Amino acid sequence: MEAAHPSVSGADPSVPGADPSVPGATSSASGATLSVESPQQMQELGRRLAKILRPGDLVMLTGELGAGKTTLTRGLGEGLGVRGAVTSPTFVIARVHPSLVGGPALVHVDAYRLGGGLDEMEDLDLDVSLPESVVVVEWGDGKVEELTDDRLHLLIHRVTGDTDDDRRTVVLRGVGARWAEEDLALV
């Protein structure tokens, strides 16, 4: 059974171009807000997002522990057709998943344990990998923005506290010329 697609939800003024005065307006060429109801839908969102990614794309994932960053990245890996199980790289910092289908490799980075900015990230040679790979960085805020003027930032909100609620709100925001004309609501 195919997982249901994430749905575009109400206008979010934090998304560039979202016009709250237009009923149902939730997206622009550079942003969208999506509702995700389950881990399966989060993984499906990753598979769908992979269809618009290309070599040189930097994807930043932000959200609380357990928000679904690695689950989304697992879907990206499936959509990109890469080798190896996509798991959290927390203790190895970065994993490279080569393409099995002639597309870009997936470089999956967990910057949670890295305290510094780009200085610590330089040891990972992300600037070398970026032109021919899709680089996904969890916890990258304030650490990787200098790698490129163009990036896709996903902010994943979840209900916090003692709950088994799987619902998430995912805010997609494209930064730079690469994302200026990409309609992220179509993901």
Side-chain angles (χ1 to χ4, degrees):
M1 179 167 87
E2 186 174 322
H5 297 303
S7 62
V8 178
S9 64
D12 182 342
S14 69
V15 177
D19 183 353
S21 68
V22 177
T26 60
S27 68
S28 72
S30 61
T33 300
L34 307 173
S35 294
V36 177
E37 302 294 324
S38 68
Q40 294 80 13
Q41 281 190 8
M42 186 67 77
Q43 200 162 335
E44 174 63 19
L45 175 58
R47 284 190 290 270
R48 293 173 56 139
L49 186 58
K51 293 176 183 176
I52 65 168
L53 294 176
R54 58 187 187 214
D57 282 344
L58 172 64
V59 180
M60 294 174 50
L61 303 178
T62 302
E64 300 90 2
L65 287 171
K69 297 178 296 294
T70 300
T71 300
L72 184 129
T73 306
R74 190 171 298 120
L76 285 173
E78 290 172 7
L80 291 171
V82 300
R83 182 180 55 184
V86 174
T87 60
S88 178
T90 299
F91 297 104
V92 295
I93 309 299
R95 284 197 172 98
V96 177
H97 298 274
S99 177
L100 295 172
V101 295
L106 171 65
V107 178
H108 184 198
V109 179
D110 187 332
Y112 183 76
R113 295 177 48 211
L114 300 178
L118 198 56
D119 293 340
E120 281 188 79
M121 299 301 282
E122 284 181 3
D123 290 338
L124 300 175
D125 287 333
L126 293 180
D127 55 335
V128 173
S129 301
L130 187 59
E132 69 260 359
S133 304
V134 170
V135 176
V136 176
V137 182
E138 298 184 26
W139 307 98
D141 290 356
K143 298 175 184 170
V144 298
E145 290 88 343
E146 294 177 30
L147 284 173
T148 179
D149 291 334
D150 301 304
R151 60 191 168 277
L152 180 61
H153 190 178
L154 281 74
L155 178 59
I156 305 170
H157 297 283
R158 71 174 181 91
V159 177
T160 56
D162 187 18
T163 180
D164 59 357
D165 192 338
D166 286 334
R167 289 177 296 160
R168 306 289 192 262
T169 300
V170 181
V171 178
L172 294 88
R173 185 172 52 92
V175 176
R178 155 70 175 100
W179 298 101
E181 298 302 320
E182 195 74 60
D183 188 351
L184 296 172
L186 297 178
V187 171

